[in-house]
Amino acid sequence: MFDGYDSCSEDTSSSSSSDESEEEVAPLPSSLPIIKNNGQVYTYPDGKSGMATCEMCGMVGVRDAFYSKTKRFCSVSCSRSYSSNSKKASILARLQGKPPTKKAKVLQKQPLVAKLAAYAQYQATLQNQAKTKTAVPVEGFSWGNYINSNSFTAAPVTCFKHAPMGTCWGDIAEGVRVEVPNTDCSLPTKVFWIAGIVKLAGYNALLRYEGFENDSSLDFWCNICGSDIHPVGWCATSGKPLVPPRSIQHKYTNWKAFLVKRLTGAKTLPPDFSQKVSESMQYPFKTSMRVEVVDKTHLCRTRVAVVDSVVGGRLRLVYEESEDKTDDFWCHMYSPLIHHIGWSRSVGHRFKRSDITKKQDGHFDAPPHLFMKVKEVDAAGEWFKEGMKLEAIDPLNLSAICVATIRKVLADGYLMIGIDGSEAADGSDWFCYHATSPSIFPVGFCEINMIELTPPRGYAKLPFKWFDYLRETDSIAAPVKLFNKEVPNHGFHVGMKLEAVDLMEPRLVCVATVTRIIHRLLRIHFDGWEDEYDQWVDCESPDLYPVGWCQLTGYQLQPPALQSSRDSQSSSSKQKKKAKSQQYKGHKKMTSLQLKEELLDGEEYSFLQGTSDQESNGSASYYIKQEP
């Protein structure tokens, strides 16, 4: 395969297919280790000589230029930053086969049995990680092809704090180098080569093998958190061969020198990246735990449900009275729709008692500390009162923000909200929102932010004016100061792709796009569906995920609906979608409302302090003034 290529030789008279490249690359000392396979000779960077990887920041560089005698760090600051965790890092390094630090020298004196046991445990960990990262193929859909063919951008992983690696993604960006399987090779064994990140789309990265320069013919997409992606230096410590791709093996005679030039000053993944991925995919909720969750047929009450399965932090809950386990409900473990056993009684929320008088064997109550904590509020002074008016996202039609009324004030800051003009006589469709919920807004919010407000059903005095409506109903608006006005620097922009739960059928995670941004409020469009199925979602919603989340967690991704299938189904597809909506939280409102929001271009409207839809990503004032 590599006729005439011998990396052991120090003879510089060998010719290269590129004289220019031969001049650019300096020869590497002959001490660089090599690996031989089937009579052929291959090279790879090694942590002991030639190349080194900083154990703190992950920078790759020439070993002789690194700090201290051990050459473990690229600078004094990295060495000092690392010292606080030196003991833990030394043990991890030993398990990974890296040279131990001075503090870990005693580990070398352990019996052989102890060494083998540690190695076996490490290998078992890697195998378990590989099992949890099994890809779920979606026939006919590929995120990589979808993004490339349309020049889309994806929301970065850092936008999703609840997702794996969301809080420890670090500086992973374009240009980072990794070691990946070499698919352009005819060897019978699995070999690797170094690749650089060309483009990031959530967890997915477009990679290009080193040596291809501007040639994108063999570029490929992969999940950066997958089990086959490793930091530079992993092959050296694991005894894996690092082999140049067959298509470019003729370009250089001295691949060692080429890699030194290319990798000096480059960054790679942290040595413990795989461990962090594994840890971030450990979830505290376990099967058989009992929780209180909203009753999807009567929004005003909760029921007891049991955790049936946990996938990527999403819970499949089976209502306790369901004998065949088909009456279920999907939500994220941080969803505001689930609570610990006893929550309903503590706040005064309606609760459906189970016909089951005692717990089934093996079922146990989920500890209260596992649930998402809400902010504490002071209801002692001026506070929400029954009958106050506001604007709220309709839980039965998430594309609409509606005129609403506070129907009941519960304890701990919880409110029961009803949508004006479409409430059931018995209040069975009242919905519980916390006072700090980003899904409720003061009177005038939609008008200020140029969102279409849905008036009460049957209200004839259009266009709707809050001033007239408050006077006609003899009611008052909830004070603006009582609403949540915090706007985090979320990082979303109009046009970004992501994976989003269809909250009208929450077992589905779909390909989606951010089409509007109003401060912290995102309008999510499901690709391939009409605008009437869009949903308003908070930027910190646990029902939004980075591109590649389904593949990483083993969840099924719903691809965009095809135009041909929509046309053939015509009205039947809409009926199916609406029927699906009824399964989520109960009775679908029989409205003909079809909001078709247009994408704002940032200059078409005037916002407070000059912020547009796309720019309203910060802590600017949330509201202007109310109409008197």
Side-chain angles (χ1 to χ4, degrees):
M1 172 180 171
F2 287 102
D3 293 338
Y5 170 42
D6 187 348
S7 61
C8 287
S9 174
E10 290 301 310
D11 183 6
T12 58
S13 63
S14 301
S15 62
S16 170
S17 61
S18 173
D19 294 336
E20 181 181 354
S21 62
E22 195 71 25
E23 293 176 1
E24 291 178 352
V25 182
L28 198 69
S30 59
S31 59
L32 183 69
I34 59 175
I35 291 181
K36 296 182 178 181
N37 260 342
N38 301 326
Q40 302 293 341
V41 184
Y42 312 101
T43 66
Y44 57 89
D46 185 88
K48 296 181 180 179
S49 59
M51 303 296 295
T53 302
C54 179
E55 296 182 20
M56 183 62 199
C57 70
M59 190 185 79
V60 179
V62 177
R63 180 176 173 78
D64 291 339
F66 270 46
Y67 174 72
S68 79
K69 294 181 180 179
T70 59
K71 307 299 182 185
R72 297 170 55 215
F73 308 102
C74 65
S75 64
V76 177
S77 61
C78 281
S79 176
R80 290 175 178 172
S81 299
Y82 190 86
S83 61
S84 61
N85 291 324
S86 60
K87 184 175 180 180
K88 176 181 178 182
S90 296
I91 295 174
L92 176 62
R94 182 66 186 85
L95 293 178
Q96 293 180 338
K98 294 185 178 181
T101 62
K102 290 182 180 179
K103 293 183 179 181
K105 290 285 186 180
V106 292
L107 295 178
Q108 291 182 315
K109 298 181 181 180
Q110 291 182 345
L112 178 61
V113 174
K115 294 180 182 180
L116 293 175
Y119 180 76
Q121 182 179 3
Y122 174 62
Q123 291 297 323
T125 301
L126 292 181
Q127 291 177 3
N128 290 334
Q129 291 172 4
K131 291 179 181 178
T132 60
K133 298 172 187 174
T134 303
V136 177
V138 179
E139 186 177 355
F141 179 77
S142 164
W143 262 121
N145 294 337
Y146 192 56
I147 289 174
N148 277 347
S149 60
N150 299 280
S151 299
F152 291 140
T153 58
V157 174
T158 52
C159 290
F160 310 88
K161 305 303 182 186
H162 57 280
M165 301 298 292
T167 57
C168 54
W169 190 246
D171 296 328
I172 299 176
E174 296 177 6
V176 169
R177 306 307 206 281
V178 292
E179 292 180 353
V180 294
N182 178 4
T183 58
D184 184 24
C185 182
S186 58
L187 293 175
T189 57
K190 188 176 184 178
V191 296
F192 294 79
W193 188 239
I194 295 173
I197 298 178
V198 178
K199 184 175 183 177
L200 266 181
Y203 294 116
N204 293 349
L206 181 63
L207 299 181
R208 180 173 300 167
Y209 289 122
E210 285 294 339
F212 275 82
E213 308 302 336
N214 295 323
D215 182 2
S216 61
S217 59
L218 285 186
D219 288 3
F220 60 99
W221 286 90
C222 70
N223 196 303
I224 206 71
C225 296
S227 58
D228 267 340
I229 312 300
H230 307 282
V232 172
W234 176 84
C235 284
T237 58
S238 304
K240 302 292 183 182
L242 207 58
V243 181
R246 178 173 51 183
S247 303
I248 59 169
Q249 59 89 16
H250 62 278
K251 290 184 66 175
Y252 303 98
T253 57
N254 192 340
W255 281 99
K256 295 181 298 184
F258 168 80
L259 289 178
V260 169
K261 180 177 179 62
R262 292 289 297 173
L263 297 180
T264 299
K267 286 191 174 184
T268 187
L269 300 178
D272 60 346
F273 183 77
S274 180
Q275 181 187 7
K276 286 183 177 179
V277 172
S278 179
E279 291 174 352
S280 67
M281 294 178 66
Q282 303 299 316
Y283 308 105
F285 280 86
K286 308 299 179 185
T287 56
S288 300
M289 281 185 173
R290 299 170 75 242
V291 301
E292 289 184 8
V293 63
V294 65
D295 185 343
K296 63 184 181 181
T297 60
H298 293 81
L299 304 187
C300 65
R301 68 187 185 191
T302 57
R303 296 171 61 184
V304 173
V306 179
V307 178
D308 179 73
S309 59
V310 183
V311 183
R314 293 193 63 77
L315 312 178
R316 180 180 182 262
L317 303 173
V318 176
Y319 290 113
E320 197 169 48
E321 295 174 302
S322 177
E323 296 181 358
D324 57 0
K325 294 188 176 182
T326 58
D327 191 8
D328 62 356
F329 185 85
W330 279 91
C331 67
H332 193 273
M333 62 182 183
Y334 293 147
S335 171
L337 301 177
I338 61 171
H339 309 276
H340 62 85
I341 298 296
W343 171 84
S344 296
R345 175 180 294 181
S346 67
V347 302
H349 194 282
R350 289 175 62 178
F351 175 76
K352 180 186 178 183
R353 294 187 178 277
S354 174
D355 293 336
I356 300 176
T357 55
K358 80 177 188 179
K359 300 178 188 176
Q360 298 183 22
D361 292 339
H363 293 177
F364 58 101
D365 296 350
H369 71 270
L370 299 185
F371 298 84
M372 194 66 177
K373 300 294 186 296
V374 295
K375 295 180 181 179
E376 294 185 2
V377 295
D378 182 13
E382 187 177 9
W383 192 239
F384 292 100
K385 294 182 174 61
E386 292 183 16
M388 283 183 172
K389 300 293 182 180
L390 69 164
E391 298 175 4
I393 296 176
D394 185 350
L396 296 175
N397 182 11
L398 294 166
S399 68
I401 300 179
C402 306
V403 174
T405 304
I406 297 174
R407 293 304 179 187
K408 188 176 182 181
V409 179
L410 309 181
D412 297 340
Y414 288 96
L415 310 170
M416 297 303 295
I417 306 294
I419 303 300
D420 285 23
S422 55
E423 297 176 61
D426 59 356
S428 60
D429 57 355
W430 293 355
F431 193 74
C432 184
Y433 280 125
H434 193 264
T436 60
S437 170
S439 296
I440 59 174
F441 317 96
V443 163
F445 173 83
C446 285
E447 182 179 358
I448 291 168
N449 293 287
M450 299 181 184
I451 301 173
E452 185 175 349
L453 176 67
T454 302
R457 185 190 303 174
Y459 187 75
K461 195 175 180 180
L462 299 177
F464 178 85
K465 294 292 184 182
W466 264 115
F467 179 76
D468 295 337
Y469 185 70
L470 291 175
R471 183 176 54 190
E472 293 167 4
T473 57
D474 193 24
S475 51
I476 61 173
V480 173
K481 65 180 181 181
L482 299 182
F483 292 84
N484 180 9
K485 294 178 284 294
E486 294 182 7
V487 182
N489 187 21
H490 48 70
F492 286 101
H493 295 286
V494 170
M496 282 183 169
K497 296 293 178 181
L498 68 163
E499 298 176 4
V501 175
D502 180 354
L503 292 171
M504 300 313 295
E505 189 171 351
R507 65 183 179 85
L508 301 180
V509 178
C510 311
V511 173
T513 307
V514 177
T515 57
R516 283 196 72 179
I517 301 176
I518 307 296
H519 302 290
R520 66 179 299 147
L521 194 62
L522 310 180
R523 183 144 179 112
I524 302 300
H525 173 77
F526 296 103
D527 290 20
W529 290 97
E530 292 84 356
D531 292 349
E532 64 183 291
Y533 302 123
D534 290 1
Q535 297 178 2
W536 288 109
V537 181
D538 182 61
C539 65
E540 294 183 342
S541 168
D543 295 306
L544 304 178
Y545 306 102
V547 166
W549 178 86
C550 282
Q551 180 186 14
L552 176 63
T553 60
Y555 206 95
Q556 181 67 54
L557 176 67
Q558 302 299 314
L562 298 176
Q563 183 67 39
S564 57
S565 63
R566 293 206 315 271
D567 292 342
S568 62
Q569 292 175 2
S570 186
S571 61
S572 63
S573 67
K574 294 184 179 181
Q575 292 173 359
K576 180 180 179 181
K577 183 79 175 181
K578 290 184 178 180
K580 177 184 70 172
S581 300
Q582 293 172 2
Q583 297 173 13
Y584 171 46
K585 294 176 182 173
H587 310 292
K588 178 69 178 179
K589 289 182 170 57
M590 302 304 293
T591 65
S592 59
L593 176 67
Q594 297 183 1
L595 290 180
K596 296 186 176 180
E597 299 286 343
E598 295 182 357
L599 181 65
L600 299 185
D601 60 6
E603 298 178 357
E604 198 172 341
Y605 302 101
S606 176
F607 287 82
L608 183 62
Q609 298 182 357
T611 57
S612 68
D613 267 11
Q614 192 166 358
E615 295 168 341
S616 57
N617 176 15
S619 56
S621 180
Y622 202 50
Y623 311 108
I624 307 180
K625 62 180 181 179
Q626 289 188 94
E627 198 169 340

